[in-house]
Amino acid sequence: MTVIADPRRRRVVLATVGLSLMTVVSAVSGLNVALPELATATGATQTQLTWVVDSYTVVFAGLLLLAGALGDRFGRRGVLVAGLVVFGLAAAGALATEDPSTLIGLRALMGLGAAGIMPTTLSVITTSFPEEERPRAIGVWVGIAGGGAVLGLFGTGLLLEWFAWNSFFALNVGLAAVALVGVLAVVPESREAARGRLDVVGGLLSLVAVSGVVLGIIESAERGWGDALTVTALAVGVLALVAFVGWELRTSDPLLDPRLFRERGFATGSLSITLQFFAMFGFFFAMLQYLQFVAGYSPLEAALRLLPLPLVLIPTARRAPHVAARLGFRRVGAVGLGLLALGLFTMGRLGTDFSYAPFVAGLVLFAAGAGLAGTPATTAITEALPASKQGVASAVNDTARELGSALGIAVLGAALTAAYRDAVAPVVQGLPAPAREALTASVAATRSPRLSALGPRAADVVAGARDAFVTGVGQALTIGAVVVAVGALLVLLLAPGRERT
């Protein structure tokens, strides 16, 4: 491990890896702002919208462990550079297409590049910064990971004020290009001193496991839980997960030794990170559609309504290590997740007539919880492994984040879709087939000028479809709140106390 001696260079390196991290995080959050215009322009269904977002996170999450090991073995700087190049080229391709299926494939390729970027940014910090500065640097990293998501929303919202929905991908290309220049200029090379065998089998099994489970959850909303594709995908995902655990227990150089989860800090830190991003990206997916389709805001106006999130999250994340040092991860982590759950539950009570006061109250609770829980959980994970395995430690942390993101979008997206379709069915009954199918597929159809053919009934149909969508959003956020609240209880019961943090 080579520690950077010059404090000024450490600050520049931190800014550079922070920009690289923001490139990755904003590629999920920013797209949520563009989803309503994307759906209107391309005719994508609600399920296709879910896949446009989740094809990125599925590949991202499934390959993070392997990408972290590649960085440890072959050099973290080289893997970071390769990830930025692949990410930028795929985003450039997405900028030039309007076909939903092609877009899903290119987003998956962006996820491949992102898998090379995100774990490397954290492992650069944990291997290049002095031990006494790491918690503070990790706090900045966590703040960027959370606050950068919202900054991506504003950047996309600004672009969509003057350009088409696919201008979002121009933002991705620009961030990747600037980050690439910075990495080549200032980030030092580092790698493991000892090299074992690269666990390619484990990496592929992790990808199949994540992909199968997420595919099954997403398709269940449209096809039902008993459908052959849903059942097969879930079965393949679960079997691959079992095979992954079995393989990792037997192989001499595992990507992730499952026995690490016997350490309570490592296990509960991973659980906490997963649940934080389950909540955050499920929330982004549902709420940004609500703010545009139901409340009637433009993309920029919708993003501005989320401004309290980074204003609360970033400073809270920076103070969280000091609070955890005094109170312990168990208490801080449980309180953070509890606030997240309460924020989701509060915002899940919003109606068709949008009221900003209860929304802000829920958003502030949500942001405080995310900031409070994030840094201590990340520190617990990275401190569980030695310096030579910081790429894997970072990848575990990032896998938890991206698995949480993928599951949040899949589970809450599926809940939203299923509840919307059930609630909109009486509204569209008796309509001509094209209008009925379009409205059942997506609430975006309420913006279609073709609904004017329904005459006086059009206004009632649009209002009914929006009511149905509010029902779906409420059900999705309530499910998210319950899941996160259960996680808060588990952290409180199982996490180590202050003396072991």
Side-chain angles (χ1 to χ4, degrees), residues 19 151 153-154 171 197 203 243 269 289 332 388 399 434 458 479:
L19 179 61
L151 295 177
L153 302 180
F154 294 131
L171 177 65
R197 184 179 61 182
Q289 292 186 72
V332 174
S388 63
T399 298
I479 290 172

mmCIF file of all heavy atoms in Angstrom, residues 19 151 153-154 171 197 203 243 269 289 332 388 399 434 458 479:
data_model
loop_
_atom_site.group_PDB
_atom_site.id
_atom_site.type_symbol
_atom_site.label_atom_id
_atom_site.label_comp_id
_atom_site.label_asym_id
_atom_site.label_seq_id
_atom_site.Cartn_x
_atom_site.Cartn_y
_atom_site.Cartn_z
ATOM 1 N N LEU A 19 -15.363 12.870 -8.418
ATOM 2 C CA LEU A 19 -15.995 13.149 -9.704
ATOM 3 C C LEU A 19 -16.289 11.851 -10.451
ATOM 4 O O LEU A 19 -17.355 11.711 -11.073
ATOM 5 C CB LEU A 19 -15.084 14.046 -10.547
ATOM 6 C CG LEU A 19 -15.597 14.410 -11.941
ATOM 7 C CD1 LEU A 19 -16.919 15.169 -11.860
ATOM 8 C CD2 LEU A 19 -14.560 15.238 -12.697
ATOM 9 N N LEU A 151 -27.479 15.864 -7.239
ATOM 10 C CA LEU A 151 -26.874 16.809 -8.171
ATOM 11 C C LEU A 151 -27.052 16.338 -9.615
ATOM 12 O O LEU A 151 -27.211 17.141 -10.528
ATOM 13 C CB LEU A 151 -25.394 16.986 -7.836
ATOM 14 C CG LEU A 151 -25.107 17.637 -6.471
ATOM 15 C CD1 LEU A 151 -23.606 17.686 -6.208
ATOM 16 C CD2 LEU A 151 -25.707 19.029 -6.403
ATOM 17 N N LEU A 153 -29.658 14.838 -10.620
ATOM 18 C CA LEU A 153 -31.049 15.209 -10.933
ATOM 19 C C LEU A 153 -31.117 16.645 -11.446
ATOM 20 O O LEU A 153 -31.802 16.936 -12.421
ATOM 21 C CB LEU A 153 -31.928 15.087 -9.683
ATOM 22 C CG LEU A 153 -32.014 13.735 -8.983
ATOM 23 C CD1 LEU A 153 -32.919 13.839 -7.775
ATOM 24 C CD2 LEU A 153 -32.512 12.654 -9.931
ATOM 25 N N PHE A 154 -30.395 17.550 -10.779
ATOM 26 C CA PHE A 154 -30.436 18.958 -11.191
ATOM 27 C C PHE A 154 -29.788 19.152 -12.548
ATOM 28 O O PHE A 154 -30.280 19.915 -13.387
ATOM 29 C CB PHE A 154 -29.731 19.831 -10.143
ATOM 30 C CG PHE A 154 -30.425 19.856 -8.829
ATOM 31 C CD1 PHE A 154 -29.720 19.643 -7.656
ATOM 32 C CD2 PHE A 154 -31.782 20.072 -8.739
ATOM 33 C CE1 PHE A 154 -30.357 19.653 -6.431
ATOM 34 C CE2 PHE A 154 -32.433 20.088 -7.527
ATOM 35 C CZ PHE A 154 -31.719 19.874 -6.365
ATOM 36 N N LEU A 171 -24.589 14.457 -20.524
ATOM 37 C CA LEU A 171 -24.035 14.708 -19.196
ATOM 38 C C LEU A 171 -23.131 13.560 -18.771
ATOM 39 O O LEU A 171 -22.038 13.781 -18.223
ATOM 40 C CB LEU A 171 -25.178 14.907 -18.190
ATOM 41 C CG LEU A 171 -24.782 15.103 -16.733
ATOM 42 C CD1 LEU A 171 -23.994 16.393 -16.558
ATOM 43 C CD2 LEU A 171 -26.025 15.115 -15.839
ATOM 44 N N ARG A 197 -5.244 -16.689 -7.549
ATOM 45 C CA ARG A 197 -5.964 -16.990 -8.777
ATOM 46 C C ARG A 197 -7.214 -16.117 -8.867
ATOM 47 O O ARG A 197 -7.940 -15.946 -7.883
ATOM 48 C CB ARG A 197 -6.358 -18.471 -8.783
ATOM 49 C CG ARG A 197 -7.028 -18.926 -10.076
ATOM 50 C CD ARG A 197 -7.345 -20.409 -10.000
ATOM 51 N NE ARG A 197 -8.266 -20.674 -8.895
ATOM 52 C CZ ARG A 197 -8.686 -21.907 -8.587
ATOM 53 N NH1 ARG A 197 -8.224 -22.956 -9.242
ATOM 54 N NH2 ARG A 197 -9.520 -22.091 -7.572
ATOM 55 N N GLY A 203 -17.299 -14.591 -10.082
ATOM 56 C CA GLY A 203 -17.817 -13.358 -10.683
ATOM 57 C C GLY A 203 -19.005 -13.606 -11.581
ATOM 58 O O GLY A 203 -20.001 -12.870 -11.539
ATOM 59 N N ALA A 243 -25.044 -21.601 -5.507
ATOM 60 C CA ALA A 243 -23.799 -22.081 -6.123
ATOM 61 C C ALA A 243 -22.643 -21.129 -5.833
ATOM 62 O O ALA A 243 -21.507 -21.565 -5.603
ATOM 63 C CB ALA A 243 -23.996 -22.243 -7.629
ATOM 64 N N GLY A 269 -23.116 -3.918 8.515
ATOM 65 C CA GLY A 269 -22.762 -2.792 7.643
ATOM 66 C C GLY A 269 -23.247 -3.029 6.227
ATOM 67 O O GLY A 269 -23.813 -2.132 5.585
ATOM 68 N N GLN A 289 -41.406 10.290 -11.041
ATOM 69 C CA GLN A 289 -42.552 10.135 -11.946
ATOM 70 C C GLN A 289 -43.795 10.804 -11.342
ATOM 71 O O GLN A 289 -44.562 11.455 -12.046
ATOM 72 C CB GLN A 289 -42.820 8.649 -12.204
ATOM 73 C CG GLN A 289 -41.721 7.975 -13.011
ATOM 74 C CD GLN A 289 -42.086 6.558 -13.380
ATOM 75 O OE1 GLN A 289 -42.944 6.317 -14.234
ATOM 76 N NE2 GLN A 289 -41.446 5.600 -12.726
ATOM 77 N N VAL A 332 -26.283 4.365 16.018
ATOM 78 C CA VAL A 332 -26.352 5.327 14.917
ATOM 79 C C VAL A 332 -26.959 4.691 13.680
ATOM 80 O O VAL A 332 -27.803 5.290 12.999
ATOM 81 C CB VAL A 332 -24.950 5.886 14.611
ATOM 82 C CG1 VAL A 332 -24.981 6.778 13.381
ATOM 83 C CG2 VAL A 332 -24.422 6.660 15.803
ATOM 84 N N SER A 388 -4.441 -5.123 1.525
ATOM 85 C CA SER A 388 -4.268 -5.809 0.242
ATOM 86 C C SER A 388 -5.581 -6.221 -0.384
ATOM 87 O O SER A 388 -5.623 -6.573 -1.561
ATOM 88 C CB SER A 388 -3.384 -7.044 0.428
ATOM 89 O OG SER A 388 -4.016 -7.981 1.290
ATOM 90 N N THR A 399 -21.211 -3.362 -3.995
ATOM 91 C CA THR A 399 -22.194 -4.374 -4.372
ATOM 92 C C THR A 399 -23.445 -4.239 -3.529
ATOM 93 O O THR A 399 -24.574 -4.356 -4.027
ATOM 94 C CB THR A 399 -21.599 -5.788 -4.213
ATOM 95 O OG1 THR A 399 -20.478 -5.930 -5.085
ATOM 96 C CG2 THR A 399 -22.626 -6.857 -4.563
ATOM 97 N N PRO A 434 -56.832 0.760 -28.236
ATOM 98 C CA PRO A 434 -55.524 1.452 -28.182
ATOM 99 C C PRO A 434 -55.354 2.304 -26.933
ATOM 100 O O PRO A 434 -54.298 2.288 -26.297
ATOM 101 C CB PRO A 434 -55.535 2.306 -29.449
ATOM 102 C CG PRO A 434 -56.477 1.608 -30.378
ATOM 103 C CD PRO A 434 -57.549 1.062 -29.487
ATOM 104 N N ALA A 458 -62.334 12.381 -21.596
ATOM 105 C CA ALA A 458 -60.873 12.371 -21.503
ATOM 106 C C ALA A 458 -60.377 12.902 -20.164
ATOM 107 O O ALA A 458 -59.465 12.337 -19.549
ATOM 108 C CB ALA A 458 -60.271 13.184 -22.645
ATOM 109 N N ILE A 479 -44.268 -0.121 1.296
ATOM 110 C CA ILE A 479 -43.509 -1.379 1.323
ATOM 111 C C ILE A 479 -42.040 -1.093 1.635
ATOM 112 O O ILE A 479 -41.408 -1.779 2.449
ATOM 113 C CB ILE A 479 -43.646 -2.120 -0.019
ATOM 114 C CG1 ILE A 479 -45.071 -2.660 -0.172
ATOM 115 C CG2 ILE A 479 -42.627 -3.257 -0.137
ATOM 116 C CD1 ILE A 479 -45.357 -3.236 -1.539
#
